[in-house]
Amino acid sequence: MNIMGIVLAAGQGKRMKSKLYKVLHKVCGKPMVGHVVTALKNINTSRTVVIVGHGAEAVQSYLGDQVEYALQAQQHLVRDMPSCRRRICLAGKRD
């Protein structure tokens, strides 16, 4: 079975009142997004796409080439995720 992981990492984190991008805040010594990507690797996802926006360069610098990236140029709400997921799946369709 092919399992695809999609990680939402584009938020600004305004309520956190920090200059550090939300998903790069450490939990148990590791950035939050790192925990999510590790968990997805542990379940053998065939593909992991991290949706980046605010702070994209910092997130990409941390994660490197272990995942694919999709840029969310305009900040949308999580309710927009179904259409975003469809675009990612269609763009990366593999034969």
Side-chain angles (χ1 to χ4, degrees):
M1 175 184 352
N2 286 332
I3 300 173
M4 178 180 177
I6 300 176
V7 181
L8 304 177
Q12 293 183 20
K14 290 179 185 177
R15 291 174 289 201
M16 296 182 87
K17 296 183 178 85
S18 172
K19 292 185 183 198
L20 184 63
Y21 303 113
K22 176 169 54 177
V23 298
L24 295 178
H25 278 269
K26 291 184 178 181
V27 176
C28 296
K30 182 176 182 177
M32 289 188 282
V33 71
H35 288 286
V36 176
V37 169
T38 297
L40 290 170
K41 281 184 178 182
N42 288 340
I43 61 167
N44 296 318
T45 52
S46 58
R47 189 172 169 212
T48 299
V49 178
V50 177
I51 301 174
V52 293
H54 186 73
E57 299 83 15
V59 174
Q60 289 172 318
S61 176
Y62 171 70
L63 291 174
D65 62 358
Q66 62 182 321
V67 298
E68 297 174 52
Y69 299 94
L71 179 64
Q72 182 183 24
Q74 293 182 334
Q75 295 293 302
H76 297 285
L77 299 173
V78 173
R79 70 173 181 236
D80 295 326
M81 187 57 200
S83 65
C84 186
R85 181 188 67 218
R86 179 172 164 68
R87 287 191 307 269
I88 291 168
C89 290
L90 291 175
K93 190 171 183 179
R94 299 175 186 179
D95 296 321

